[in-house]
Amino acid sequence: MGRAKMLLVEDDAALAELLVWHFQRENFEVRQTADGEEALLIAQESPPDLVLLDWMIQGLSGIEVCRRLRRMPETQNVPIIMLTARGEEEDRVRGLETGADDYVTKPFSPRELVARVGAVLRRVRPALAGEQLTYADLEMDTVGHKVRRAGQLVPLGPTEFRLLKHFLEHPGWVFSRERLLDSVWGHDADIEPRTVDVHIRRLRQAINVGGKPDIIRTVRSAGYALDADGKL
């Protein structure tokens, strides 16, 4: 990933320090504040490529900061990811309707958050995101159309490649068969949801060759997720 500018708005000093360390290690340029008013001034003076915004902060609430960022010409199109301990559906909907691009509930894994940030930047700032997608020991070259696991080339068919690409762009997210059909095959695809199971099985066979751990998690009655926690 290129050197992206991040504005981190978080009033938990220990968490802020941890996040700054993780994102600087990933070559982000990070500016950090615990105050909502100061965040708006920083964003106006030097618009970031992405804002990581806590809901409960000093001064203005994160929701109000998000609302004002969306009204400012300098930041109206800057992606915003909200961090919060509020996990109720109503709160998530409120945050997204205010203008957030993604919503991460505490506690969370810093590694997953880095991946979420990368996914958002790939959607809205492709020039910053490069052409490589990585998660755990998986690497995908989206231009060369190649996948490697633990350094070894993994041959994939076109559908399995698109399916894995979708998972790599949203690590840890659980997708139903219907959501995967919409995202990978397209809204107009006349395909049975069970077809997804067939391609998931083919994808597993390809990337788990040689006895490697299965990092595609099946969530009963919910769908599938790319999840390496505890398996590497």
Side-chain angles (χ1 to χ4, degrees), residues 9-103:
V9 190
E10 169 61 66
D11 62 357
D12 181 327
L15 178 58
E17 182 179 357
L18 178 65
L19 293 178
V20 168
W21 183 84
H22 274 279
F23 281 101
Q24 286 182 339
R25 189 178 67 167
E26 296 296 325
N27 202 32
F28 280 80
E29 178 185 331
V30 184
R31 295 190 68 178
Q32 189 265 330
T33 179
D35 183 84
E37 293 281 5
E38 184 178 12
L40 292 171
L41 290 174
I42 293 173
Q44 189 171 30
E45 292 170 358
S46 179
D49 295 304
L50 181 137
V51 178
L52 206 53
L53 174 63
D54 188 17
W55 185 304
M56 303 297 292
I57 53 175
Q58 300 172 22
L60 295 176
S61 70
I63 283 287
E64 182 59 26
V65 171
C66 182
R67 183 177 291 114
R68 295 193 188 187
L69 286 171
R70 285 291 171 251
R71 292 175 181 169
M72 292 164 47
E74 298 89 348
T75 56
Q76 62 183 0
N77 295 318
V78 171
I80 300 170
I81 297 179
M82 296 202 72
L83 308 176
T84 179
R86 305 166 69 108
E88 298 299 322
E89 180 181 3
E90 182 178 343
D91 295 321
R92 293 197 301 272
V93 170
R94 185 182 172 200
L96 294 170
E97 287 181 343
T98 302
D101 295 271
D102 201 356
Y103 190 103

Side-chain angles (χ1 to χ4, degrees), residues 41-216:
L41 290 174
I42 293 173
Q44 189 171 30
E45 292 170 358
S46 179
D49 295 304
L50 181 137
V51 178
L52 206 53
L53 174 63
D54 188 17
W55 185 304
M56 303 297 292
I57 53 175
Q58 300 172 22
L60 295 176
S61 70
I63 283 287
E64 182 59 26
V65 171
C66 182
R67 183 177 291 114
R68 295 193 188 187
L69 286 171
R70 285 291 171 251
R71 292 175 181 169
M72 292 164 47
E74 298 89 348
T75 56
Q76 62 183 0
N77 295 318
V78 171
I80 300 170
I81 297 179
M82 296 202 72
L83 308 176
T84 179
R86 305 166 69 108
E88 298 299 322
E89 180 181 3
E90 182 178 343
D91 295 321
R92 293 197 301 272
V93 170
R94 185 182 172 200
L96 294 170
E97 287 181 343
T98 302
D101 295 271
D102 201 356
Y103 190 103
V104 179
T105 304
K106 299 177 180 178
F108 54 80
S109 158
R111 185 178 69 174
E112 179 182 348
L113 182 60
V114 169
R116 291 270 194 107
V117 167
V120 170
L121 285 176
R122 280 190 290 276
R123 292 198 297 270
V124 298
R125 296 283 195 276
L128 288 171
E131 310 296 349
Q132 296 283 335
L133 300 179
T134 61
Y135 179 72
D137 59 351
L138 277 173
E139 301 174 5
M140 173 179 282
D141 177 355
T142 60
V143 174
H145 216 77
K146 294 179 181 178
V147 173
R148 287 181 170 82
R149 185 164 188 192
Q152 294 187 343
L153 197 63
V154 178
L156 291 178
T159 302
E160 287 72 41
F161 186 91
R162 294 197 307 272
L163 189 58
L164 180 59
K165 181 174 182 290
H166 184 71
F167 281 130
L168 285 169
E169 289 173 342
H170 307 88
W173 291 27
V174 178
F175 292 99
S176 67
R177 295 181 182 91
E178 291 74 17
R179 287 278 305 277
L180 289 171
L181 281 175
D182 284 345
S183 300
V184 178
W185 280 264
H187 296 280
D188 299 326
D190 185 19
I191 299 175
E192 291 293 325
R194 288 290 176 182
T195 301
V196 174
D197 299 339
V198 174
H199 289 281
I200 288 287
R201 184 165 62 249
R202 290 177 181 172
L203 178 59
R204 276 180 164 144
Q205 290 171 346
I207 65 176
N208 298 336
V209 69
K212 293 182 175 63
D214 183 5
I215 60 174
I216 298 179

